[in-house]
Amino acid sequence: MKIIKCISSIILFSVIGVNSAFAEVKIADNEEIISLMKGGVPLIDVRTLEEWQKTGVIKDSKLLTFFDKNGNSDLEDWMHQLSKIVSKDDPVIILCRSGKRSGIVSDILSEKMNFSKVYNANSGIIGWINDGQKTTTDGISHEK
């Protein structure tokens, strides 16, 4: 019985490992973000309204909050909104404030939702601004 459990565990970890190998999230620095966006790849900014208002957003990015201010999310609704922007076979860039939340969202898209070309803007909007790149407040609601 112990041998069967051991073999089952090995098979399970092998399958998980194989799937993860094909669903790798790519890291995108600012130069690559610019290049990808010029090529038509959508950038999804997962921050909150308050964050967008505070720093502005990258021009032509799509604003789609993933975690609310309490850290909660509604994956089903978020995925429904995302499906209006990009399909799972298209490349997509995910951005947040510093790269932490975008890393989580990128992993979810890649590993759980089977998106094949996910880029994590791992330095976030902070890295974008610190690199001297521009932001805009066009299209951001100024209501709280």
Side-chain angles (χ1 to χ4, degrees):
M1 189 68 159
K2 288 182 180 180
I3 294 174
I4 292 173
K5 283 185 176 179
C6 183
I7 292 172
S8 296
S9 294
I10 291 170
I11 291 170
L12 176 64
F13 288 120
S14 295
V15 169
I16 290 171
V18 168
N19 284 342
S20 295
F22 292 111
E24 184 177 332
V25 173
K26 296 168 183 69
I27 303 302
D29 62 15
N30 293 335
E31 191 174 299
E32 187 162 18
I33 291 168
I34 293 167
S35 176
L36 289 165
M37 289 184 75
K38 283 182 181 176
V41 176
L43 183 145
I44 310 299
D45 189 327
V46 299
R47 298 177 299 144
T48 63
L49 172 62
E50 292 80 14
E51 290 175 295
W52 298 327
Q53 291 171 336
K54 184 176 180 180
T55 63
V57 298
I58 297 173
K59 186 176 189 276
D60 298 324
S61 60
K62 309 297 183 199
L63 310 181
L64 188 58
T65 299
F66 189 85
F67 295 105
D68 66 20
K69 63 183 177 182
N70 298 317
N72 300 313
S73 63
D74 181 343
L75 181 59
E76 186 177 336
D77 181 60
W78 192 84
M79 288 302 301
H80 176 72
Q81 298 302 318
L82 182 65
S83 72
K84 296 176 184 178
I85 301 168
V86 66
S87 78
K88 65 173 52 180
D89 295 321
D90 295 328
V92 62
I93 309 161
I94 307 297
L95 175 125
C96 69
R97 186 181 74 79
S98 66
K100 183 177 178 183
R101 286 174 288 170
S102 61
I104 293 168
V105 174
S106 294
D107 287 342
I108 290 170
L109 289 177
S110 180
E111 295 171 11
K112 294 184 179 178
M113 306 315 245
N114 298 317
F115 275 63
S116 58
K117 299 170 191 143
V118 181
Y119 295 87
N120 176 23
N122 71 324
S123 63
I125 198 72
I126 291 172
W128 182 265
I129 292 168
N130 287 343
D131 195 30
Q133 301 295 332
K134 303 280 187 225
T135 61
T136 181
T137 56
D138 292 346
I140 300 174
S141 171
H142 293 286
E143 299 173 16
K144 290 257 177 185

